[in-house]
Amino acid sequence: MRIAMVHATFAVRGGAERYLDDLVGSLAARGHEVRVCTAGDRPRWSARLPGKAAVHLGDLFDPTGLGPVDLRDFAPDVVHVHNWQGLGVPAVARLARAYPTVHTVHDYAVLDPNNALRNVGRSRGLDALLRLRSAWILRRFRRLRLLCATERVRDLVLSAASPTRRPPARIVPLAVALDWNRRAWPPGDPTTFLFLGALGSHKGLDRLLDAWDGPGTLLVAGEGPLRSRVERAGPGVHCLGHLDEAGKRAAFARSGWLVFPSRVAETFGLVCAESLLAGRPIIVGAHALPSMATEASTLSFAGVEGLRATLHRAAAMPADEYARLAASAAADGSRLDWDEHVSAVLDAYELAAGGVR
């Protein structure tokens, strides 16, 4: 099968980019021919306009950019879109008219141009405009097949459009291309906490640092604008920087908890899946409970004071209670099967292409 992977940019390498890399490798290992295409292959005129509003308007209305002609020599059997922001709605709609196309819903960009539902609920007028924007996008995406990690993601993304004017959607539970759940992990240390991700306020790192008052050791891994604040945080807080797989494995081995203080709901939370594969329970905001984790694998909080209290509770947790949470996390991780996920994606490709491999 010839598969064109379409993504806006790899300038920032987050969870979606890591997932795309892993998926490309697994599909190629199964004998499929894969080509990765980005917005840089055919830049849009609106990308030269200043200001964030201009960029978002360009995503909606700019008719230039990547198109079917750019894939003609490859002649894909299916196109798999990952991030449409930066490519633009018209470009994706053109690809979907020319080729069978699926789109993995990595974020909530259809509902909120900031990807994180941070604008919803601010005012009735803004909510109405966002609903109109979402319905307009979904009508133009009606030829795509959406791949969603959970029913909640599917229902939320499709909520803005009528059943007759929205694209079909398929539940394809995500996984992680790691064999960590088959490794022998040392017991977790309940007094050691790990933050892993972009060092930015959107991931809630500022909230975590505000809440931190030294109940144990805090390991902070990643890169981003808040790195200097992490480095100045004082005793007990260790900045690990960017970690490769071996570094992440070592960090999880040292820790007892993953702290996931993201300010917004996420569609999956790749680092949460990694934590479960390592058998480490998760401390997470009540609004952002990870879809792959059961309640018995998490401690939830609300607000900075709630996070501070939860960190202290976690650090002082009796060994038997912590062991139960860790066992639940490992059980959740054991259900994240990457090979099954790749097979489910291929099934979605065949369905989109009309059953022709």
CSV table of all heavy atoms in Angstrom, one decimal, residues 234-297:
chain,number,residue,atom,x,y,z
A,234,GLY,N,15.5,25.7,42.9
A,234,GLY,CA,16.1,25.5,44.1
A,234,GLY,C,16.3,24.0,44.5
A,234,GLY,O,16.0,23.1,43.6
A,235,PRO,N,16.7,23.7,45.7
A,235,PRO,CA,16.9,22.3,46.1
A,235,PRO,C,15.7,21.4,45.9
A,235,PRO,O,14.6,21.8,46.1
A,235,PRO,CB,17.3,22.4,47.6
A,235,PRO,CG,17.8,23.8,47.7
A,235,PRO,CD,16.9,24.6,46.8
A,236,GLY,N,15.9,20.2,45.5
A,236,GLY,CA,14.8,19.2,45.3
A,236,GLY,C,14.2,19.2,43.9
A,236,GLY,O,13.5,18.3,43.6
A,237,VAL,N,14.6,20.2,43.1
A,237,VAL,CA,14.1,20.3,41.7
A,237,VAL,C,15.2,20.1,40.8
A,237,VAL,O,16.2,20.9,40.8
A,237,VAL,CB,13.3,21.6,41.4
A,237,VAL,CG1,12.8,21.7,40.0
A,237,VAL,CG2,12.2,21.8,42.4
A,238,HIS,N,15.2,19.1,39.9
A,238,HIS,CA,16.3,18.8,39.0
A,238,HIS,C,15.9,18.9,37.6
A,238,HIS,O,14.9,18.3,37.2
A,238,HIS,CB,16.8,17.4,39.3
A,238,HIS,CG,17.3,17.2,40.7
A,238,HIS,ND1,18.5,17.5,41.2
A,238,HIS,CD2,16.6,16.7,41.8
A,238,HIS,CE1,18.6,17.2,42.4
A,238,HIS,NE2,17.4,16.7,42.9
A,239,CYS,N,16.5,19.8,36.8
A,239,CYS,CA,16.2,19.9,35.4
A,239,CYS,C,17.0,18.9,34.6
A,239,CYS,O,18.3,19.0,34.6
A,239,CYS,CB,16.6,21.4,34.9
A,239,CYS,SG,16.1,21.7,33.3
A,240,LEU,N,16.3,18.0,33.9
A,240,LEU,CA,17.0,17.0,33.1
A,240,LEU,C,17.2,17.3,31.7
A,240,LEU,O,17.9,16.6,31.0
A,240,LEU,CB,16.2,15.7,33.3
A,240,LEU,CG,15.9,15.2,34.7
A,240,LEU,CD1,15.1,13.8,34.6
A,240,LEU,CD2,17.2,15.0,35.5
A,241,GLY,N,16.5,18.4,31.2
A,241,GLY,CA,16.6,18.7,29.8
A,241,GLY,C,15.9,17.7,28.9
A,241,GLY,O,15.1,16.9,29.4
A,242,HIS,N,16.2,17.7,27.6
A,242,HIS,CA,15.6,16.8,26.7
A,242,HIS,C,16.1,15.4,26.9
A,242,HIS,O,17.3,15.2,27.1
A,242,HIS,CB,15.9,17.2,25.2
A,242,HIS,CG,15.5,16.2,24.2
A,242,HIS,ND1,14.1,16.0,23.9
A,242,HIS,CD2,16.2,15.3,23.5
A,242,HIS,CE1,14.1,15.1,23.0
A,242,HIS,NE2,15.3,14.6,22.7
A,243,LEU,N,15.2,14.4,26.9
A,243,LEU,CA,15.6,13.0,27.1
A,243,LEU,C,15.3,12.2,25.9
A,243,LEU,O,14.2,12.3,25.3
A,243,LEU,CB,14.9,12.4,28.3
A,243,LEU,CG,15.1,13.1,29.7
A,243,LEU,CD1,14.3,12.5,30.8
A,243,LEU,CD2,16.6,13.1,30.0
A,244,ASP,N,16.2,11.3,25.5
A,244,ASP,CA,15.9,10.2,24.5
A,244,ASP,C,15.2,9.1,25.2
A,244,ASP,O,14.9,9.2,26.4
A,244,ASP,CB,17.1,9.8,23.8
A,244,ASP,CG,18.2,9.2,24.7
A,244,ASP,OD1,17.9,9.0,25.9
A,244,ASP,OD2,19.4,9.1,24.3
A,245,GLU,N,14.9,8.0,24.5
A,245,GLU,CA,14.2,6.9,25.1
A,245,GLU,C,14.9,6.3,26.3
A,245,GLU,O,14.3,6.1,27.4
A,245,GLU,CB,13.9,5.8,24.1
A,245,GLU,CG,13.1,4.6,24.7
A,245,GLU,CD,13.0,3.4,23.8
A,245,GLU,OE1,13.1,3.6,22.6
A,245,GLU,OE2,12.8,2.3,24.3
A,246,ALA,N,16.2,6.2,26.2
A,246,ALA,CA,17.0,5.6,27.3
A,246,ALA,C,16.9,6.6,28.5
A,246,ALA,O,16.8,6.2,29.7
A,246,ALA,CB,18.4,5.4,26.9
A,247,GLY,N,17.0,7.9,28.3
A,247,GLY,CA,16.9,8.9,29.3
A,247,GLY,C,15.6,8.9,30.0
A,247,GLY,O,15.5,9.0,31.2
A,248,LYS,N,14.5,8.8,29.2
A,248,LYS,CA,13.2,8.7,29.8
A,248,LYS,C,13.0,7.4,30.6
A,248,LYS,O,12.4,7.5,31.7
A,248,LYS,CB,12.1,8.8,28.7
A,248,LYS,CG,11.9,10.1,28.0
A,248,LYS,CD,10.7,10.2,27.1
A,248,LYS,CE,10.9,9.3,25.9
A,248,LYS,NZ,9.7,9.4,25.0
A,249,ARG,N,13.5,6.3,30.1
A,249,ARG,CA,13.4,5.1,30.9
A,249,ARG,C,14.1,5.2,32.2
A,249,ARG,O,13.6,4.8,33.3
A,249,ARG,CB,14.0,4.0,30.1
A,249,ARG,CG,13.7,2.6,30.6
A,249,ARG,CD,14.0,1.5,29.6
A,249,ARG,NE,15.4,1.5,29.2
A,249,ARG,CZ,15.9,1.7,28.0
A,249,ARG,NH1,15.0,2.0,27.0
A,249,ARG,NH2,17.1,1.6,27.7
A,250,ALA,N,15.3,5.9,32.2
A,250,ALA,CA,16.0,6.1,33.5
A,250,ALA,C,15.3,7.0,34.4
A,250,ALA,O,15.2,6.8,35.6
A,250,ALA,CB,17.4,6.6,33.2
A,251,ALA,N,14.6,8.0,33.9
A,251,ALA,CA,13.9,9.0,34.7
A,251,ALA,C,12.7,8.3,35.3
A,251,ALA,O,12.4,8.5,36.5
A,251,ALA,CB,13.4,10.2,33.8
A,252,PHE,N,12.0,7.5,34.6
A,252,PHE,CA,10.8,6.8,35.1
A,252,PHE,C,11.3,5.8,36.2
A,252,PHE,O,10.6,5.5,37.2
A,252,PHE,CB,10.0,6.1,34.0
A,252,PHE,CG,9.0,6.9,33.4
A,252,PHE,CD1,9.1,7.3,32.0
A,252,PHE,CD2,7.9,7.4,34.1
A,252,PHE,CE1,8.1,8.1,31.4
A,252,PHE,CE2,6.9,8.2,33.5
A,252,PHE,CZ,7.1,8.5,32.2
A,253,ALA,N,12.4,5.1,36.0
A,253,ALA,CA,13.0,4.2,37.0
A,253,ALA,C,13.3,4.9,38.3
A,253,ALA,O,13.1,4.3,39.4
A,253,ALA,CB,14.2,3.5,36.4
A,254,ARG,N,13.7,6.2,38.2
A,254,ARG,CA,14.0,6.9,39.5
A,254,ARG,C,12.7,7.4,40.2
A,254,ARG,O,12.7,7.6,41.4
A,254,ARG,CB,14.8,8.1,39.1
A,254,ARG,CG,16.2,7.8,38.7
A,254,ARG,CD,16.9,9.1,38.3
A,254,ARG,NE,17.0,10.1,39.3
A,254,ARG,CZ,17.5,11.3,39.2
A,254,ARG,NH1,17.9,11.7,38.0
A,254,ARG,NH2,17.5,12.2,40.2
A,255,SER,N,11.6,7.5,39.4
A,255,SER,CA,10.5,8.2,40.0
A,255,SER,C,9.4,7.2,40.5
A,255,SER,O,9.4,6.0,40.2
A,255,SER,CB,9.9,9.1,38.9
A,255,SER,OG,9.4,8.4,37.8
A,256,GLY,N,8.5,7.8,41.2
A,256,GLY,CA,7.3,7.0,41.6
A,256,GLY,C,6.0,7.4,41.0
A,256,GLY,O,5.0,6.7,41.0
A,257,TRP,N,6.0,8.7,40.5
A,257,TRP,CA,4.8,9.3,39.9
A,257,TRP,C,5.1,10.1,38.7
A,257,TRP,O,6.2,10.7,38.6
A,257,TRP,CB,4.2,10.3,40.9
A,257,TRP,CG,3.8,9.7,42.3
A,257,TRP,CD1,4.7,9.7,43.4
A,257,TRP,CD2,2.6,9.2,42.7
A,257,TRP,NE1,4.1,9.2,44.4
A,257,TRP,CE2,2.8,8.8,44.1
A,257,TRP,CE3,1.4,8.9,42.1
A,257,TRP,CZ2,1.8,8.2,44.8
A,257,TRP,CZ3,0.4,8.3,42.8
A,257,TRP,CH2,0.6,8.0,44.2
A,258,LEU,N,4.2,10.1,37.7
A,258,LEU,CA,4.2,11.1,36.7
A,258,LEU,C,3.3,12.2,37.1
A,258,LEU,O,2.1,11.9,37.5
A,258,LEU,CB,3.8,10.6,35.4
A,258,LEU,CG,3.6,11.6,34.3
A,258,LEU,CD1,5.0,12.1,33.7
A,258,LEU,CD2,2.7,11.1,33.1
A,259,VAL,N,3.7,13.5,37.1
A,259,VAL,CA,2.8,14.6,37.3
A,259,VAL,C,2.4,15.2,36.0
A,259,VAL,O,3.3,15.6,35.2
A,259,VAL,CB,3.5,15.7,38.2
A,259,VAL,CG1,2.5,16.8,38.6
A,259,VAL,CG2,4.1,15.1,39.5
A,260,PHE,N,1.1,15.2,35.7
A,260,PHE,CA,0.6,15.7,34.4
A,260,PHE,C,-0.4,16.8,34.7
A,260,PHE,O,-1.6,16.7,34.7
A,260,PHE,CB,-0.1,14.5,33.7
A,260,PHE,CG,-0.5,14.8,32.3
A,260,PHE,CD1,0.4,15.0,31.3
A,260,PHE,CD2,-1.9,14.9,31.9
A,260,PHE,CE1,0.1,15.2,30.0
A,260,PHE,CE2,-2.2,15.1,30.6
A,260,PHE,CZ,-1.3,15.3,29.6
A,261,PRO,N,0.2,18.1,34.9
A,261,PRO,CA,-0.7,19.2,35.3
A,261,PRO,C,-1.2,20.0,34.1
A,261,PRO,O,-1.5,21.2,34.3
A,261,PRO,CB,0.3,20.0,36.1
A,261,PRO,CG,1.6,19.8,35.4
A,261,PRO,CD,1.6,18.4,34.9
A,262,SER,N,-1.3,19.4,32.9
A,262,SER,CA,-1.8,20.2,31.8
A,262,SER,C,-3.0,21.0,32.1
A,262,SER,O,-4.0,20.5,32.7
A,262,SER,CB,-2.1,19.2,30.6
A,262,SER,OG,-2.5,19.9,29.5
A,263,ARG,N,-3.0,22.2,31.6
A,263,ARG,CA,-4.1,23.1,31.9
A,263,ARG,C,-5.4,22.8,31.1
A,263,ARG,O,-6.5,23.3,31.4
A,263,ARG,CB,-3.7,24.6,31.6
A,263,ARG,CG,-2.7,25.1,32.5
A,263,ARG,CD,-2.4,26.6,32.2
A,263,ARG,NE,-1.4,27.1,33.1
A,263,ARG,CZ,-1.8,27.7,34.3
A,263,ARG,NH1,-3.0,27.7,34.7
A,263,ARG,NH2,-0.8,28.2,35.1
A,264,VAL,N,-5.3,22.0,30.1
A,264,VAL,CA,-6.4,21.7,29.2
A,264,VAL,C,-6.6,20.2,29.0
A,264,VAL,O,-5.7,19.4,29.2
A,264,VAL,CB,-6.2,22.4,27.9
A,264,VAL,CG1,-6.2,23.9,28.0
A,264,VAL,CG2,-4.9,21.9,27.2
A,265,ALA,N,-7.8,19.8,28.5
A,265,ALA,CA,-8.0,18.4,28.2
A,265,ALA,C,-7.2,18.1,26.9
A,265,ALA,O,-7.1,18.9,26.0
A,265,ALA,CB,-9.5,18.2,27.9
A,266,GLU,N,-6.6,16.9,26.9
A,266,GLU,CA,-5.9,16.5,25.7
A,266,GLU,C,-6.5,15.2,25.2
A,266,GLU,O,-7.2,14.5,25.9
A,266,GLU,CB,-4.4,16.2,26.1
A,266,GLU,CG,-3.7,17.4,26.7
A,266,GLU,CD,-2.2,17.4,26.6
A,266,GLU,OE1,-1.7,16.6,25.8
A,266,GLU,OE2,-1.6,18.1,27.4
A,267,THR,N,-6.3,15.0,23.9
A,267,THR,CA,-7.0,13.8,23.3
A,267,THR,C,-6.4,12.5,23.7
A,267,THR,O,-7.1,11.5,23.7
A,267,THR,CB,-6.9,13.9,21.8
A,267,THR,OG1,-5.5,14.0,21.4
A,267,THR,CG2,-7.6,15.1,21.2
A,268,PHE,N,-5.1,12.5,24.1
A,268,PHE,CA,-4.5,11.2,24.5
A,268,PHE,C,-3.5,11.4,25.7
A,268,PHE,O,-3.6,10.9,26.7
A,268,PHE,CB,-3.8,10.6,23.3
A,268,PHE,CG,-3.3,9.2,23.6
A,268,PHE,CD1,-4.2,8.1,23.9
A,268,PHE,CD2,-1.9,8.9,23.6
A,268,PHE,CE1,-3.7,6.9,24.2
A,268,PHE,CE2,-1.4,7.6,23.9
A,268,PHE,CZ,-2.3,6.6,24.1
A,269,GLY,N,-2.5,12.2,25.5
A,269,GLY,CA,-1.4,12.4,26.5
A,269,GLY,C,-0.4,11.3,26.4
A,269,GLY,O,-0.4,10.3,27.2
A,270,LEU,N,0.5,11.4,25.4
A,270,LEU,CA,1.4,10.3,25.1
A,270,LEU,C,2.3,10.0,26.3
A,270,LEU,O,2.6,8.8,26.6
A,270,LEU,CB,2.3,10.7,23.9
A,270,LEU,CG,3.2,9.6,23.3
A,270,LEU,CD1,2.3,8.5,22.7
A,270,LEU,CD2,4.1,10.2,22.2
A,271,VAL,N,2.7,11.0,27.1
A,271,VAL,CA,3.6,10.8,28.2
A,271,VAL,C,2.8,10.0,29.3
A,271,VAL,O,3.4,9.2,30.1
A,271,VAL,CB,4.1,12.1,28.8
A,271,VAL,CG1,3.0,13.0,29.4
A,271,VAL,CG2,5.1,11.9,29.9
A,272,CYS,N,1.5,10.1,29.4
A,272,CYS,CA,0.7,9.3,30.3
A,272,CYS,C,0.7,7.8,29.9
A,272,CYS,O,0.8,7.0,30.8
A,272,CYS,CB,-0.7,9.8,30.4
A,272,CYS,SG,-0.9,11.5,31.0
A,273,ALA,N,0.7,7.6,28.6
A,273,ALA,CA,0.8,6.2,28.2
A,273,ALA,C,2.2,5.6,28.6
A,273,ALA,O,2.3,4.5,29.0
A,273,ALA,CB,0.6,6.1,26.7
A,274,GLU,N,3.2,6.4,28.4
A,274,GLU,CA,4.6,6.0,28.8
A,274,GLU,C,4.6,5.7,30.3
A,274,GLU,O,5.3,4.7,30.7
A,274,GLU,CB,5.6,7.0,28.4
A,274,GLU,CG,5.7,7.2,26.9
A,274,GLU,CD,6.6,8.4,26.5
A,274,GLU,OE1,6.8,9.3,27.3
A,274,GLU,OE2,7.1,8.3,25.3
A,275,SER,N,4.0,6.5,31.1
A,275,SER,CA,4.0,6.3,32.5
A,275,SER,C,3.3,5.0,32.9
A,275,SER,O,3.8,4.2,33.7
A,275,SER,CB,3.3,7.4,33.2
A,275,SER,OG,3.4,7.3,34.6
A,276,LEU,N,2.2,4.7,32.2
A,276,LEU,CA,1.5,3.4,32.5
A,276,LEU,C,2.4,2.2,32.1
A,276,LEU,O,2.4,1.2,32.8
A,276,LEU,CB,0.2,3.4,31.8
A,276,LEU,CG,-0.8,4.5,32.3
A,276,LEU,CD1,-2.1,4.4,31.4
A,276,LEU,CD2,-1.1,4.4,33.7
A,277,LEU,N,3.1,2.3,30.9
A,277,LEU,CA,3.9,1.2,30.5
A,277,LEU,C,5.1,1.0,31.5
A,277,LEU,O,5.6,-0.1,31.6
A,277,LEU,CB,4.5,1.6,29.1
A,277,LEU,CG,3.6,1.6,27.9
A,277,LEU,CD1,4.3,2.1,26.7
A,277,LEU,CD2,3.0,0.2,27.7
A,278,ALA,N,5.4,2.0,32.2
A,278,ALA,CA,6.5,1.9,33.3
A,278,ALA,C,5.9,1.5,34.6
A,278,ALA,O,6.6,1.3,35.6
A,278,ALA,CB,7.3,3.2,33.4
A,279,GLY,N,4.6,1.4,34.7
A,279,GLY,CA,3.9,1.0,36.0
A,279,GLY,C,4.0,2.1,37.0
A,279,GLY,O,4.0,1.9,38.2
A,280,ARG,N,3.9,3.4,36.5
A,280,ARG,CA,3.9,4.5,37.4
A,280,ARG,C,2.6,5.2,37.4
A,280,ARG,O,2.1,5.6,36.3
A,280,ARG,CB,5.0,5.5,37.0
A,280,ARG,CG,6.4,5.0,37.0
A,280,ARG,CD,6.8,4.4,38.4
A,280,ARG,NE,8.2,4.1,38.5
A,280,ARG,CZ,8.7,2.8,38.6
A,280,ARG,NH1,7.9,1.8,38.6
A,280,ARG,NH2,10.0,2.6,38.8
A,281,PRO,N,1.9,5.4,38.5
A,281,PRO,CA,0.6,6.1,38.5
A,281,PRO,C,0.8,7.6,38.2
A,281,PRO,O,1.9,8.1,38.2
A,281,PRO,CB,0.1,5.9,40.0
A,281,PRO,CG,1.4,5.5,40.8
A,281,PRO,CD,2.3,4.9,39.8
A,282,ILE,N,-0.3,8.2,38.0
A,282,ILE,CA,-0.3,9.6,37.4
A,282,ILE,C,-1.0,10.6,38.3
A,282,ILE,O,-2.2,10.3,38.8
A,282,ILE,CB,-0.9,9.6,36.0
A,282,ILE,CG1,-0.2,8.6,35.1
A,282,ILE,CG2,-0.9,11.0,35.4
A,282,ILE,CD1,-1.0,8.3,33.8
A,283,ILE,N,-0.4,11.7,38.6
A,283,ILE,CA,-1.1,12.8,39.3
A,283,ILE,C,-1.5,13.8,38.2
A,283,ILE,O,-0.7,14.3,37.5
A,283,ILE,CB,-0.1,13.5,40.3
A,283,ILE,CG1,0.2,12.5,41.4
A,283,ILE,CG2,-0.8,14.7,40.9
A,283,ILE,CD1,1.3,13.0,42.3
A,284,VAL,N,-2.8,14.0,38.1
A,284,VAL,CA,-3.4,14.7,37.0
A,284,VAL,C,-4.6,15.6,37.4
A,284,VAL,O,-5.3,15.3,38.3
A,284,VAL,CB,-3.8,13.7,35.9
A,284,VAL,CG1,-4.9,12.7,36.5
A,284,VAL,CG2,-4.3,14.3,34.6
A,285,GLY,N,-4.7,16.7,36.6
A,285,GLY,CA,-5.9,17.6,36.8
A,285,GLY,C,-7.2,16.9,36.6
A,285,GLY,O,-7.3,16.1,35.6
A,286,ALA,N,-8.2,17.1,37.4
A,286,ALA,CA,-9.5,16.4,37.2
A,286,ALA,C,-10.1,16.7,35.8
A,286,ALA,O,-10.9,15.9,35.4
A,286,ALA,CB,-10.4,16.9,38.3
A,287,HIS,N,-9.7,17.8,35.2
A,287,HIS,CA,-10.3,18.1,33.9
A,287,HIS,C,-9.6,17.4,32.7
A,287,HIS,O,-10.0,17.5,31.6
A,287,HIS,CB,-10.2,19.6,33.6
A,287,HIS,CG,-8.7,20.1,33.6
A,287,HIS,ND1,-8.0,20.3,34.8
A,287,HIS,CD2,-7.9,20.4,32.6
A,287,HIS,CE1,-6.8,20.6,34.5
A,287,HIS,NE2,-6.7,20.7,33.2
A,288,ALA,N,-8.4,16.8,33.0
A,288,ALA,CA,-7.6,16.2,32.0
A,288,ALA,C,-7.2,14.7,32.2
A,288,ALA,O,-6.2,14.3,31.9
A,288,ALA,CB,-6.3,17.0,31.9
A,289,LEU,N,-8.2,14.0,32.8
A,289,LEU,CA,-7.9,12.6,33.1
A,289,LEU,C,-7.5,11.8,31.8
A,289,LEU,O,-8.3,11.9,30.8
A,289,LEU,CB,-9.1,11.9,33.8
A,289,LEU,CG,-9.5,12.5,35.2
A,289,LEU,CD1,-10.8,11.9,35.6
A,289,LEU,CD2,-8.4,12.2,36.2
A,290,PRO,N,-6.4,11.1,31.8
A,290,PRO,CA,-6.0,10.5,30.5
A,290,PRO,C,-6.9,9.3,30.2
A,290,PRO,O,-7.3,8.5,31.1
A,290,PRO,CB,-4.6,10.0,30.9
A,290,PRO,CG,-4.5,9.9,32.4
A,290,PRO,CD,-5.4,11.0,32.9
A,291,SER,N,-7.3,9.2,28.9
A,291,SER,CA,-8.3,8.2,28.5
A,291,SER,C,-7.8,6.8,28.7
A,291,SER,O,-8.7,5.9,28.8
A,291,SER,CB,-8.6,8.5,27.0
A,291,SER,OG,-7.4,8.3,26.2
A,292,MET,N,-6.5,6.5,28.7
A,292,MET,CA,-6.0,5.1,28.8
A,292,MET,C,-5.8,4.7,30.2
A,292,MET,O,-5.5,3.5,30.4
A,292,MET,CB,-4.7,5.0,27.9
A,292,MET,CG,-3.5,5.5,28.6
A,292,MET,SD,-3.4,7.3,29.0
A,292,MET,CE,-3.4,8.0,27.3
A,293,ALA,N,-6.0,5.5,31.2
A,293,ALA,CA,-5.8,5.2,32.6
A,293,ALA,C,-7.1,5.0,33.3
A,293,ALA,O,-8.0,5.9,33.2
A,293,ALA,CB,-5.0,6.3,33.3
A,294,THR,N,-7.2,4.0,34.1
A,294,THR,CA,-8.4,3.8,34.9
A,294,THR,C,-8.3,4.7,36.2
A,294,THR,O,-7.2,5.2,36.5
A,294,THR,CB,-8.5,2.3,35.4
A,294,THR,OG1,-7.3,1.9,36.0
A,294,THR,CG2,-8.8,1.4,34.2
A,295,GLU,N,-9.4,4.9,36.9
A,295,GLU,CA,-9.4,5.7,38.1
A,295,GLU,C,-8.4,5.2,39.1
A,295,GLU,O,-7.8,6.0,39.8
A,295,GLU,CB,-10.8,5.8,38.6
A,295,GLU,CG,-11.0,6.8,39.8
A,295,GLU,CD,-12.4,6.8,40.3
A,295,GLU,OE1,-13.3,6.3,39.6
A,295,GLU,OE2,-12.6,7.5,41.3
A,296,ALA,N,-8.2,3.9,39.2
A,296,ALA,CA,-7.3,3.3,40.2
A,296,ALA,C,-5.9,3.6,39.9
A,296,ALA,O,-5.0,3.2,40.8
A,296,ALA,CB,-7.6,1.8,40.3
A,297,SER,N,-5.6,4.2,38.8
A,297,SER,CA,-4.2,4.5,38.4
A,297,SER,C,-3.8,5.9,38.6
A,297,SER,O,-2.7,6.3,38.2
A,297,SER,CB,-3.9,4.0,37.0
A,297,SER,OG,-4.2,2.7,36.8
